Amino acid sequence: MTAKLSDKATGQRLVKAGISEAANHKGPEYWFDFNQAIPGSQRLLLGAAGWITFVLVWHITSQMDLAPERLYPGPVAVFGALQELFIEQSFLSDVMASLTRILVSFSIALAIALPLGILMGSFARVDAALNPLMGAWRYLPAPAFIPLLLMWLGTGDTQKIALLLMGVVFFLIIMLADVTRQTPKVLIETAKTLGGGRRIILWTVLFRHSLPGYVDTCRQMLAVSWTYLVIAEIVAATDGIGAMMMRARRFVHVDDIMAGIVTIGVLGLLLDTVFRLIYRKSFPYLGRGHS
Amino acid sequence: MSVHQGLSVTGVSKTFQSGGRAVQALENISLGLPAGKVGVLLGPSGCGKSTLLRMIAGLEKPSDGTITLNGRAVNRPGRDRGMVFQDYSSFPWLSVRDNVAYGLKINGDRNALNEGTVDHFIRAVGLEKFADVFPHQLSGGMRQRVAIARTLANYPELLLMDEPFGALDPETRWQMQDLLLNVVRKERSTVMVVSHDIEEALYLGDVVFFLSRHPGRLRETIFTDFKSSLPQNDREAFLQSDDYRRLELHIRRLMRDEGLDAA
């Protein structure tokens, strides 16, 4: 699958075999070499080792009386708290509230950003008209609009979704436009000389070529969404993961706060994995090693 | 110079704006290529041969002059003038078969699709074993075969090629030249190829248009009638013929003069 089917495939295979044979006779393997490829099993093992080390350090330091246990609970206490939150305190509905906010706001952001991004990335005149405006909005931090949003939209879900939207949509527009713009000119001109009109080329070349880039951009911007979620839920919220954490702070339930952080981390990682899977399954023609 | 059936370029000039200065790339080019013939635009780099080809394709507009194909004026790209580029222009998300079918599909050409046109041209370029493979799994020569099949399957009236084999190693390049000639003879296509390689130009072309540079002008039109007395697909006989040697030397001298001009 990864091997190139060459006009002179046999010759290349022989050359490759010769090279790997030479490498085998080279002697000791180097553990640290620049841009070295490593086997998947080793990657997994090293990744797990990193995590185990982190949890162990956390556990040991929590046992060392550096701080009162109430303020610095260990991993065992935090996972206990997490269990209790889900079983006894209907934390699931908080999680669902947060997830809904993320998904709703992101869907709206995408519905706005995709058409604008495609048009800006495809047509220089649209880009010239909109890029300076959108580009400037990116530099206005979304949390700066919280007072305004509170006055205009109140403290409900609309205000939180609006904040998430503002935090993401301008970046999304610019990034989707950049992805679209990277469509090779030769593909567009090929389609033109095959008789393609503007609309056909927009869909079958620019959009289709950019699709993997769009998916990857969404994956990255979802991570940014999570950042704004916590900010949105810390301000005047009654439900959601962030709201739970603020409630826990009032009663100095540090284990609950940490459980909230862990939940956000796990959810973010899950969404990220889903997007990576979609990417890998949908774009087999890109081969391995992308994203 | 006017040819009714075929390509006709009349008094074409092209001026670029570069750094506030007007640079003339092509000056008053007139040439004709009859239907069913292979023409080659040959010249040193910077002579504007690719620009001329792109204007024939309709991808750029002449500053002056007219281009007609089979009597119709050219002013934008169209299905009647398919182009094969030097860069790999396969659509990476489409299999070889879907790449070759692309032109017919976007033109809604159901008849051609049903008649097995796609498979016919995949076979014509020898890719039948790779029809369901993605381009990234193919070598450079094979990708150019995809591009040729894709363009021919769309039945253009004129096949344009911009240094199509320039990025290939010599052996593959020779193979591809023979493959192209075989397909083109069988389909009776009209072809205009851009090249900077003298051997390739004389081997492929029925007529070679030599362009000089700064600005690009048509310096000489060379006909290769001598090939009709040679066996087809016999490169050795071609290279050893007196006519080839004479013309090769002649063009080499033209190239050398151009080099001195530029220095």
Side-chain angles (χ1 to χ4, degrees), chain A residues 6 18 33 57 95 100 110 112 153 168-169 172 181 211 220:
Chain A
S6 163
D33 198 356
V57 169
V95 172
T100 310
L110 195 58
I112 296 169
L153 302 170
V168 166
V169 72
L172 207 52
R181 207 174 295 115
L211 209 49
Q220 292 170 31

Side-chain angles (χ1 to χ4, degrees), chain A residues 177-225:
Chain A
D178 283 344
V179 169
T180 312
R181 207 174 295 115
Q182 277 159 24
T183 308
K185 199 175 151 200
V186 66
L187 296 186
I188 297 168
E189 292 188 336
T190 296
K192 278 184 185 172
T193 67
L194 289 171
R198 201 164 24 211
R199 185 174 300 199
I200 283 174
I201 293 175
L202 193 65
W203 285 114
T204 65
V205 180
L206 286 137
F207 178 78
R208 189 57 192 79
H209 180 270
S210 308
L211 209 49
Y214 295 155
V215 172
D216 209 43
T217 302
C218 286
R219 186 176 64 80
Q220 292 170 31
M221 287 317 292
L222 261 177
V224 177
S225 265

Side-chain angles (χ1 to χ4, degrees), chain A residues 4 8 25 31 45-46 64 67 92 101 138 148 174 191 224 243 246 255 260 265 267 269 274 284 288 290:
Chain A
K4 295 239 174 195
K8 295 168 289 170
H25 291 296
W31 270 87
L45 218 67
L46 289 169
M64 277 169 37
L92 190 63
R101 282 173 192 140
R138 275 191 306 177
L148 260 185
I174 300 289
V224 177
M246 287 310 280
D255 48 356
L267 284 174
L269 206 63
V274 167
R288 286 281 169 117
H290 291 257

Side-chain angles (χ1 to χ4, degrees), chain A residues 92-138:
Chain A
L92 190 63
S93 67
D94 284 315
V95 172
M96 291 317 287
S98 294
L99 258 180
T100 310
R101 282 173 192 140
I102 292 273
L103 295 180
V104 169
S105 67
F106 199 80
S107 304
I108 299 171
L110 195 58
I112 296 169
L114 196 54
L116 283 176
I118 290 174
L119 290 175
M120 285 167 68
S122 301
F123 305 113
R125 290 203 163 84
V126 180
D127 192 62
L130 294 181
N131 203 321
L133 180 67
M134 302 300 170
W137 274 94
R138 275 191 306 177

Side-chain angles (χ1 to χ4, degrees), chain B residues 156-227:
Chain B
E157 292 164 39
L158 175 64
L159 172 62
L160 302 168
M161 308 180 94
D162 192 0
E163 302 199 21
F165 313 132
L168 305 177
D169 60 90
E171 219 181 285
T172 313
R173 188 156 64 225
W174 297 330
Q175 279 176 21
M176 293 294 296
Q177 288 167 358
D178 284 324
L179 180 140
L180 176 71
L181 283 180
N182 287 337
V183 176
V184 154
R185 278 186 200 125
K186 212 168 137 222
E187 306 292 334
R188 299 213 173 95
S189 317
T190 315
V191 188
M192 186 67 101
V193 188
V194 160
S195 179
H196 60 244
D197 184 88
I198 302 173
E199 183 191 317
E200 178 173 83
L202 290 171
Y203 193 67
L204 292 180
D206 297 313
V207 50
V208 176
F209 305 101
F210 187 88
L211 304 189
S212 63
R213 64 178 164 191
H214 304 309
R217 284 197 193 97
L218 179 60
R219 178 140 172 203
E220 213 171 306
T221 305
I222 299 151
F223 294 91
T224 60
D225 298 332
F226 73 92
K227 286 193 288 185

